């Protein structure tokens, strides 16, 4: 009787134990996360496993929301990837040896050729009817422009206008009720506050149809980088948010989801074309002014006039005038009845500062005129007859 009892119990208990074990195993492995935890525990049995309290997904999502994530969610739909086709002219290296000499041209011909070049960059919608801001070096000379919206929709874009001096371009795509970003006030930026860079680095927009996001802080303001190519970079915003090739033209956004700058340059120290530490953005207040004029006229008209010619001071000039250091530009010619003439400037005056900014080349002075209008007053500090003087010069409209 006892043997029969034992056999019956074995028959009943074994399936029950197997079922319990399978159920426990299935229950434990009901998600990849639990499966990973199980594998980790087996590999590292010395680690004490703590059971996490049960939290639903909405609570988890809400607990991770902050100013950065809300700003990203608000801005991302308005960021676009830009692909351009540009026709560029190149000159044969052989012809460069002889310059533009017509004698040699009759033998070698005009050895210039046109080549189709493709490029990419970023941009952002600023209005529901399809106006897009980007950089001039991204799309200013493009013959064909394709814009990819977040989500993957591709549209042909029209070049409304471009301004090489400030490196700002305005595009237009057809559409209504398109997502767009609010433009902030770059005068209110605080060094150390959050900075969020959006864009299309290395063409990654093509992979997942949405922008890449990097986060840093505002590192510095009012950075004057001088002239690079056709562009004058003045009063730039510096950030350590990573900006790489393809990010140009994308928005730099604050934690409130407002655009405070247009990502434009990276500092590479001549080492590479990728992010090495700092990026620079054009202040949005400057961009607002430029795109407003581009929409009205298709170009920015600069017709201010100072009325003098100058050249850079070198060691010889500095020594002749008894200067302690080499700085400034020396006036070589003043046009009669010009703003410079009316302000009392003289040939031989050495300008060292304009509006509290150092001036060490003609390009430095021209960069001041890029943002100036007729009627603006320039506060000039100059060196004359071994004395430092302060003079005000009121700019006028260029005579026709």
């Amino acid at each position: 009787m006892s043997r029969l009892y034992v056999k019956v119990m074995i028959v009943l208990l074994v399936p029950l134990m197997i079922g319990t074990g399978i159920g426990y195993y299935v229950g434990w492995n009901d998600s990849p996360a639990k499966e990973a935890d199980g594998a980790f525990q087996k590999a590292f049995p010395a680690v004490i496993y703590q059971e996490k309290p049960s939290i639903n997904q909405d609570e988890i999502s809400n607990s991770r929301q902050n100013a950065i994530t809300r700003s990203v969610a608000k801005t991302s739909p308005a960021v676009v990837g830009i692909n351009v086709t540009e026709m560029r002219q190149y000159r044969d290296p052989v012809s460069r040896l002889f310059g533009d000499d017509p004698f040699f041209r009759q033998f070698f011909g005009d050895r210039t050729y046109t080549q189709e070049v493709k490029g990419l960059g970023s941009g952002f919608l600023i209005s529901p009817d399809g106006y897009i801001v980007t950089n001039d070096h991204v799309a200013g000379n493009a013959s064909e422009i394709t814009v990819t919206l977040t989500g993957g929709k591709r549209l042909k874009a029209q070049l409304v206008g471009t301004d090489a001096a400030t490196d700002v371009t305005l595009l237009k795509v057809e559409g209504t009720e398109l997502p767009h970003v609010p433009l902030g006030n770059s005068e209110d930026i605080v060094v150390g506050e959050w900075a969020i860079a959006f864009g299309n680095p290395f063409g990654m927009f093509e992979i997942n149809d949405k922008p890449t996001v990097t986060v840093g802080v505002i590192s510095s303001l009012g950075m004057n980088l001088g002239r690079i190519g056709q562009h004058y970079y003045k009063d730039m915003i510096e950030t350590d948010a990573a900006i790489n090739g393809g990010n140009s033209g994308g928005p730099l956004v604050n934690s409130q989801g407002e655009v405070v700058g247009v990502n434009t340059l990276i500092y590479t120290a001549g080492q590479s074309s990728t992010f090495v530490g700092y990026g620079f953005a054009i202040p949005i207040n400057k961009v607002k002014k430029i795109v407003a004029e581009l929409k009205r006229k298709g170009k920015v008209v600069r017709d201010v006039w100072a009325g003098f010619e100058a050249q850079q001071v070198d060691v010889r000039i500095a020594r002749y005038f008894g200067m302690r250091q080499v700085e400034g530009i020396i006036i070589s010619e003043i046009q009669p009845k010009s703003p410079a003439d009316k302000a009392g400037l003289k040939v031989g005056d050495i300008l060292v500062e304009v509006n509290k900014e150092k001036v060490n080349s003609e390009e430095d002075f021209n960069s001041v005129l890029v943002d100036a209008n007729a009627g603006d007053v320039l506060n000039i500090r100059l060196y004359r007859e071994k004395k430092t003087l302060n003079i005000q010069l009121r700019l006028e409209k260029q005579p026709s």
Side-chain angles (χ1 to χ4, degrees):
M1 183 68 180
S2 60
R3 288 183 179 180
L4 179 61
Y5 177 80
V6 171
K7 289 180 180 180
V8 171
M9 292 301 291
I10 291 172
V11 171
L12 293 175
L13 290 175
V14 168
L16 181 61
M17 293 172 66
I18 293 172
T20 301
I22 292 172
Y24 177 82
Y25 179 80
V26 172
W28 174 254
N29 290 277
D30 63 354
S31 72
K34 286 186 177 181
E35 184 177 351
D37 284 343
F40 181 82
Q41 278 187 275
K42 288 181 180 178
F44 302 92
V47 177
I48 299 174
Y49 179 81
Q50 294 181 342
E51 191 72 38
K52 294 180 180 179
S54 177
I55 303 177
N56 64 47
Q57 284 301 118
D58 288 339
E59 290 176 336
I60 293 174
S61 179
N62 291 336
S63 70
R64 292 174 179 170
Q65 293 292 329
N66 55 38
I68 302 297
T69 59
R70 285 190 291 271
S71 181
V72 169
K74 179 180 178 181
T75 305
S76 291
V79 181
V80 302
I82 297 175
N83 290 82
V84 302
T85 301
E86 183 178 336
M87 305 304 294
R88 293 184 185 174
Q89 281 198 335
Y90 296 90
R91 173 170 286 187
D92 190 301
V94 174
S95 66
R96 293 179 186 174
L97 298 174
F98 308 107
D100 232 3
D101 194 316
F103 175 78
F104 290 102
R105 196 184 305 138
Q106 64 181 319
F107 297 103
F108 297 102
D110 185 10
R111 300 176 68 87
T112 58
Y113 58 94
T114 302
Q115 182 175 341
E116 184 178 276
V117 179
K118 295 187 180 297
L120 56 85
S122 308
F124 54 97
L125 286 149
I126 59 171
S127 68
D129 55 345
Y131 283 96
I132 295 170
V133 170
T134 186
N135 284 132
D136 172 76
H137 75 261
V138 170
N141 295 310
S143 56
E144 184 178 334
I145 307 168
T146 302
V147 167
T148 303
L149 305 182
T150 297
K153 186 175 182 180
R154 287 166 174 75
L155 299 170
K156 292 294 182 182
Q158 171 193 355
L159 178 64
V160 177
T162 191
D163 183 46
T166 57
D167 201 4
V168 174
T169 290
L170 184 64
L171 307 177
K172 177 74 165 66
V173 294
E174 293 300 321
T176 57
E177 299 183 3
L178 294 170
H180 57 286
V181 286
L183 305 184
N185 180 5
S186 50
E187 296 297 321
D188 288 344
I189 297 175
V190 178
V191 172
E193 72 170 294
W194 290 114
I196 311 166
F198 295 78
N200 177 28
F202 311 115
M204 288 186 177
F205 215 107
E206 299 295 317
I207 298 174
N208 57 5
D209 297 328
K210 59 184 179 182
T212 295
V213 179
T214 57
V215 178
V217 298
I218 300 296
S219 304
S220 187
L221 299 171
M223 300 295 292
N224 294 325
L225 308 180
R227 181 177 177 178
I228 301 177
Q230 303 177 71
H231 316 300
Y232 290 91
Y233 295 117
K234 187 171 177 288
D235 297 326
M236 299 291 281
I237 301 167
E238 182 181 349
T239 178
D240 65 349
I243 297 174
N244 287 295
N247 270 106
S248 290
L252 185 70
V253 177
N254 63 19
S255 58
Q256 295 177 310
E258 299 169 333
V259 178
V260 295
V262 179
N263 302 323
T264 301
L265 289 172
I266 57 174
Y267 175 72
T268 65
Q271 297 175 24
S272 70
S273 60
T274 56
F275 179 74
V276 179
Y278 292 98
F280 297 90
I282 303 169
I284 200 63
N285 287 8
K286 178 184 289 188
V287 175
K288 289 177 188 177
K289 178 182 174 182
I290 297 299
V291 296
E293 191 163 353
L294 291 177
K295 185 181 178 184
R296 289 196 310 269
K297 303 177 181 178
K299 62 181 180 179
V300 175
V301 178
R302 291 184 176 85
D303 54 2
V304 294
W305 185 47
F308 67 84
E309 299 293 331
Q311 68 182 65
Q312 186 172 350
V313 171
D314 57 20
V315 175
R316 180 180 56 82
I317 294 173
R319 186 183 300 117
Y320 179 82
F321 284 94
M323 300 177 67
R324 294 180 179 179
Q325 60 184 14
V326 179
E327 61 176 343
I329 56 175
I330 183 169
I331 295 178
S332 56
E333 180 184 348
I334 294 179
Q335 299 174 13
K337 299 181 180 180
S338 67
D341 190 19
K342 295 174 184 177
L345 294 179
K346 299 179 179 181
V347 172
D349 284 347
I350 297 175
L351 280 59
V352 293
E353 277 187 11
V354 176
N355 294 344
K356 296 184 178 180
E357 295 178 12
K358 291 183 178 181
V359 175
N360 288 314
S361 67
E362 291 179 85
E363 290 179 357
D364 288 346
F365 184 77
N366 289 336
S367 71
V368 175
L369 299 185
V370 165
D371 297 325
N373 298 305
D376 288 353
V377 174
L378 303 183
N379 295 301
I380 297 174
R381 188 169 71 88
L382 58 84
Y383 186 81
R384 178 192 293 171
E385 297 177 354
K386 298 185 179 181
K387 294 180 181 179
T388 299
L389 303 177
N390 293 302
I391 289 179
Q392 289 190 327
L393 183 153
R394 186 179 297 275
L395 296 171
E396 296 178 7
K397 187 175 180 179
Q398 178 79 42
S400 56

